[in-house]
Amino acid sequence: MTKSSNKSQTKTQNTPPATHLSNLEQTLKACQAKLAGRNPMISSLMQFSPIATAVFDTDMCYVAANDAWLRSYELTDQALEGKSHYEIFPDIGDDWKSVHARCLQGAHESRSEDPFPRADGSLMWLDWSVYPWLDLDGQIAGIVMTTDVVSDQVQAREEARVFRKLVESSSEGVVISDLNSSITYANSAYQTMVGTRADELIGQSLMRYVGSGYNLDDVNDTTRKQGEWHGVIDHKQASGETFLAKVVSFAMRDSTGALTQRASICRDVTDEQRLRRNLVENEQHLQTLLAGLPIMLFTTDLAGTITMSEGRELAILNIQPGDIVGQSIFSFYHDMPETTANVERALNGEEITFEVYYPNAKQYFERYFAPLKDNTGVITGMMGIGFNITERKQSEEALEAERSRLQALYEAVPDIIARYDRQGTYLDYKPAGYLSSSFSPEEIIGKTPKELAPPETAARFEPFYARLNAVLETGEMQTSETTLVIKGETRHRETRMVKLNDNEALAFTRDITDLKRTEAALRESQQFLEDAQSMGKLGGWSYDVALQQSSWSKQVYDIMEAPYESELTFDFAMSFYKDSVPLQDAVTQAIDHAEPYDLELEITTFKGNHRWARVIGKPVVEDDEVVKLVGTQQDITDMKQVEAQLLESQQFLEDAQSMGKLGGWSFDLVTQD
């Protein structure tokens, strides 16, 4: 620079002034001509560029800014030239200022989708570039900043991501198909809805999963013309089962507006339809209920003037709906000081519920008074609702009587009743009979069985705590039996423990000594019967006509030599008889005409042995209809063998008499025969 300046000075000193001035004028004109050629081009680029562009000097003051810059940053009403950028954007942070400083030193920086927080709390996203611009001497004269606001693109991409996530997580099924109805996308809910995976759905025809109510031509025509199609249709699962679905199908178009795909939103409305029907029914019931609801309703203004009076229960006061509008509520209830006092409380912002008795009508009402407020919360009056609770009062009285009756029944129940908490502490105790504890209920309540027992017997209560825990955890009743010796007599008692709530259980203990004795006698009787049947080779059976089910006693199994676990079908029972036709005919006659039967039939046992059985059947008739056959089956093989031997002996005697020409005779001295 110094060397160049010396030459210039020398040349100037040696050149005449007029000539030097002429040269300067020519140089200035050349520069102006050159600038005149560039300025329109630069102005056009600045003016018509869609990218927001601003030029700053070294002090970050505006030199120029195009229309896109003014529109992007809402500066169209401001004159920017000469103003500081930091004055226009006071919310610019130190990071941006650092970028400007580096570019004023010659750096060139850019960034895509950079967040730019504004002072008003909003957030812009920018694609920006900052670089220096040079003067005619090649020196940095400032910077050029270009920004493209891409907030819409970022937001659109984020919205698309969020939308896709919402679609994926939606509880409603979303399926997209092309114009040939081939599935191109199905979200998780739709996969679950039809019972198959996405990889099995993609490429399949949507028509495979839609049933009646979904006409493809109609859907295509409607979506093409109106953009959407709505309907409730039968939808199919991969298993073939169907469910009712509400479907919205809408057209998906490309940037040219051409229809490319169709999206459908499906919702299983099987339960919804059922609930809607129930809702309609409930609304009808509610309307009927409200029409006959025993209620009186009135409203007042701040002065207590009645503005509305409705309800059929106004008849209790001998007035009709609307009759007292315009009257003062304080005058109307002048003889009911509690009511007027509660009106004042409601007008002052309180909510009150109280009861009123009308002695002349012998009716009870529950009153609810509350302030009325406008949209700003200012009290404008009050509202009073009266519900006729006469029946409730009567029910309460009846309930009290019933409670007393139940209490008497509770006291009369011959069971010890105890209520325990989770720790086994007695919460309540009702003794009954001489099996009760020697402690009084007052001494028992608040303690545990272990605390009431001697220390050396504490271990025997572990089963009790195990049953208590099982009842509270599973909710299943636990039953236990104990044996006691009282005054030298062995007594038995049974305890049934049930869950009352999550932290309490109820136990009923009763004396079952007589029951135990009866059961023992019954077992002895049953054993005697089984022994008798076994010795007599006699068994019992029954056949339920309606259920077509048979049952055999142990002895019948033994006669048939059949396994005890055999399935007792009718065909299985008949399979043992050498000729089952007579028995089948007898069973038919017994069922159709209530005729008993008594047959002797030859059988082949399960193990292949040949025997004879006597089968006796008797119909059981209820309401003129045979409902069951019962009978016996006896092994008469030995008797049949004796009969055969007797016949053989008789035949042998007859043959011997015939061959010996010998006859026999007898004479009854009593009958002379």
Side-chain angles (χ1 to χ4, degrees):
M1 289 286 295
T2 303
K3 193 173 184 179
S4 176
S5 297
N6 290 336
K7 286 182 178 181
S8 177
Q9 291 175 1
T10 303
K11 186 175 181 180
T12 302
Q13 292 174 356
N14 297 328
T15 303
T19 304
H20 178 65
L21 180 62
S22 176
N23 291 338
L24 289 177
E25 288 177 351
Q26 291 177 1
T27 302
L28 177 62
K29 288 181 180 179
C31 289
Q32 289 176 339
K34 189 175 182 181
L35 287 174
R38 288 184 178 182
N39 280 342
M41 177 182 66
I42 295 174
S43 297
S44 296
L45 286 174
M46 288 283 291
Q47 187 68 24
F48 298 109
S49 172
I51 306 298
T53 304
V55 181
F56 303 91
D57 62 17
T58 55
D59 294 325
M60 287 303 296
C61 292
Y62 279 90
V63 176
N66 67 353
D67 290 345
W69 182 277
L70 300 178
R71 288 192 304 271
S72 296
Y73 300 103
E74 300 178 356
L75 301 172
T76 54
D77 58 345
Q78 296 191 42
L80 298 181
E81 189 172 351
K83 291 184 178 180
S84 170
H85 183 55
Y86 303 137
E87 176 187 347
I88 301 300
F89 292 98
D91 50 342
I92 287 180
D94 292 338
D95 53 345
W96 267 106
K97 291 179 180 179
S98 297
V99 171
H100 299 158
R102 289 193 296 273
C103 291
L104 285 171
Q105 296 298 320
H108 184 169
E109 297 190 17
S110 62
R111 195 173 299 170
S112 298
E113 296 184 2
D114 190 29
F116 177 48
R118 304 296 302 275
D120 60 1
S122 62
L123 186 66
M124 297 178 69
W125 296 84
L126 304 175
D127 286 352
W128 57 264
S129 179
V130 180
Y131 52 89
W133 65 276
L134 307 179
D135 60 14
L136 294 177
D137 293 329
Q139 302 298 313
I140 294 176
I143 59 172
V144 178
M145 186 184 304
T146 63
T147 64
D148 188 7
V149 180
V150 293
S151 299
D152 290 344
Q153 296 92 311
V154 172
Q155 183 177 358
R157 187 169 64 253
E158 178 62 17
E159 287 177 352
R161 186 188 68 80
V162 172
F163 178 74
R164 186 175 184 87
K165 187 173 183 62
L166 287 174
V167 169
E168 275 300 318
S169 60
S170 173
S171 60
E172 297 189 347
V174 178
V175 58
I176 300 176
S177 58
D178 61 20
L179 297 183
N180 295 321
S181 293
S182 293
I183 296 174
T184 58
Y185 170 79
N187 72 346
S188 299
Y190 189 80
Q191 298 170 38
T192 302
M193 193 175 292
V194 298
T196 187
R197 301 191 309 273
D199 57 350
E200 297 174 344
L201 280 170
I202 303 303
Q204 290 193 29
S205 173
L206 180 63
M207 302 308 295
R208 176 179 176 180
Y209 298 96
V210 295
S212 59
Y214 194 87
N215 183 285
L216 184 59
D217 293 336
D218 177 52
V219 173
N220 284 336
D221 185 60
T222 303
T223 52
R224 186 176 291 108
K225 293 178 179 178
Q226 303 177 12
E228 292 186 3
W229 177 90
H230 301 258
V232 177
I233 67 170
D234 287 332
H235 218 79
K236 300 176 184 177
Q237 295 181 335
S239 63
E241 296 184 14
T242 60
F243 59 92
L244 200 62
K246 184 176 182 180
V247 178
V248 179
S249 293
F250 53 90
M252 299 180 68
R253 303 178 184 275
D254 60 16
S255 58
T256 66
L259 180 65
T260 57
Q261 295 189 102
R262 183 172 55 254
S264 298
I265 301 175
C266 308
R267 178 156 51 94
D268 187 340
V269 294
T270 306
D271 292 338
E272 182 181 320
Q273 292 288 87
R274 175 178 55 78
L275 292 174
R276 184 175 286 111
R277 289 193 298 269
N278 292 341
L279 180 61
V280 171
E281 294 176 0
N282 290 339
E283 288 178 346
Q284 293 173 347
H285 295 160
L286 182 60
Q287 290 297 328
T288 303
L289 176 64
L290 290 176
L293 189 66
I295 188 175
M296 59 175 70
L297 171 67
F298 63 84
T299 59
T300 75
D301 60 17
L302 280 176
T305 302
I306 298 172
T307 56
M308 181 184 70
S309 62
E310 297 292 339
R312 67 177 178 84
E313 289 303 317
L314 288 171
I316 297 296
L317 306 179
N318 296 318
I319 60 176
Q320 296 297 318
D323 283 355
I324 58 174
V325 172
Q327 296 185 27
S328 170
I329 195 167
F330 299 106
S331 298
F332 187 76
Y333 286 114
H334 68 279
D335 57 346
M336 302 179 69
E338 182 186 13
T339 299
T340 54
N342 287 331
V343 169
E344 290 280 7
R345 293 171 62 187
L347 289 172
N348 287 322
E350 292 187 52
E351 294 184 9
I352 312 100
T353 300
F354 61 103
E355 291 185 7
V356 175
Y357 178 65
Y358 295 97
N360 294 335
K362 297 181 179 179
Q363 300 286 310
Y364 289 92
F365 273 78
E366 182 178 79
R367 288 287 182 82
Y368 170 73
F369 286 1
L372 290 177
K373 300 179 181 180
D374 61 17
N375 294 334
T376 64
V378 175
I379 297 175
T380 60
M382 61 85 62
M383 172 188 67
I385 303 176
F387 299 95
N388 192 325
I389 60 171
T390 304
E391 291 185 4
R392 191 184 80 187
K393 280 289 187 180
Q394 294 171 347
S395 297
E396 288 174 353
E397 294 172 358
L399 183 61
E400 179 60 26
E402 179 68 12
R403 190 198 66 78
S404 299
R405 187 178 72 85
L406 290 175
Q407 181 66 28
L409 288 174
Y410 172 78
E411 296 296 338
V413 169
D415 290 352
I416 299 171
I417 302 177
R419 182 162 60 95
Y420 303 96
D421 65 11
R422 186 174 287 274
Q423 287 70 42
T425 305
Y426 284 99
L427 303 177
D428 195 8
Y429 180 82
K430 184 191 80 68
Y434 57 86
L435 289 183
S436 301
S437 172
S438 58
F439 296 99
S440 67
E442 292 75 15
E443 294 173 313
I444 291 174
I445 294 173
K447 294 183 173 62
T448 66
K450 188 181 294 186
E451 291 172 336
L452 294 169
E456 63 271 13
T457 63
R460 68 187 178 93
F461 290 101
E462 295 305 322
F464 160 78
Y465 287 103
R467 290 192 297 273
L468 175 62
N469 183 66
V471 165
L472 293 176
E473 293 301 325
T474 67
E476 298 179 359
M477 182 177 70
Q478 297 289 316
T479 304
S480 62
E481 293 183 8
T482 54
T483 302
L484 304 173
V485 178
I486 301 176
K487 296 179 181 180
E489 181 185 10
T490 300
R491 307 293 297 184
H492 303 276
R493 69 179 187 179
E494 177 190 71
T495 300
R496 296 188 178 190
M497 188 179 295
V498 296
K499 182 177 181 178
L500 192 60
N501 54 52
D502 288 343
N503 294 299
E504 296 181 10
L506 205 60
F508 300 84
T509 302
R510 65 175 52 186
D511 188 336
I512 59 169
T513 303
D514 292 339
L515 176 62
K516 284 289 186 180
R517 291 170 180 170
T518 302
E519 288 177 349
L522 178 59
R523 286 194 298 270
E524 183 179 348
S525 175
Q526 288 176 337
Q527 186 61 47
F528 176 79
L529 179 60
E530 286 188 10
D531 292 344
Q533 289 179 341
S534 179
M535 288 186 291
K537 297 183 178 180
L538 179 68
W541 59 268
S542 67
Y543 176 71
D544 190 307
V545 176
L547 299 178
Q548 297 185 358
Q549 292 180 350
S550 301
S551 63
W552 292 355
S553 70
K554 176 178 178 296
Q555 288 71 25
V556 176
Y557 282 98
D558 292 340
I559 292 171
M560 297 299 192
E561 295 186 321
Y564 295 141
E565 66 274 10
S566 302
E567 183 180 0
L568 299 182
T569 63
F570 184 81
D571 291 339
F572 179 77
M574 291 297 170
S575 67
F576 291 97
Y577 296 95
K578 187 174 182 181
D579 183 5
S580 63
V581 173
L583 180 56
Q584 291 181 1
D585 292 342
V587 169
T588 301
Q589 285 295 106
I591 294 174
D592 294 343
H593 304 290
E595 295 180 1
Y597 58 86
D598 187 343
L599 301 173
E600 293 181 358
L601 301 169
E602 189 176 0
I603 64 173
T604 301
T605 69
F606 190 84
K607 295 181 179 180
N609 297 317
H610 296 281
R611 291 181 179 175
W612 281 86
R614 182 182 181 185
V615 184
I616 298 175
K618 179 182 177 181
V620 178
V621 180
E622 293 181 4
D623 298 329
D624 297 328
E625 183 178 357
V626 176
V627 296
K628 185 181 290 186
L629 298 181
V630 296
T632 61
Q633 181 161 308
Q634 184 178 16
D635 187 343
I636 59 171
T637 305
D638 294 342
M639 185 183 72
K640 281 292 186 180
Q641 291 175 350
V642 171
E643 286 180 354
Q645 291 174 0
L646 180 59
L647 289 175
E648 185 178 351
S649 297
Q650 289 175 343
Q651 186 63 46
F652 177 77
L653 180 58
E654 287 182 6
D655 292 343
Q657 288 176 340
S658 177
M659 289 186 291
K661 296 182 179 181
L662 177 67
W665 58 271
S666 67
F667 179 72
D668 191 314
L669 296 177
V670 178
T671 64
Q672 299 294 305
D673 292 333

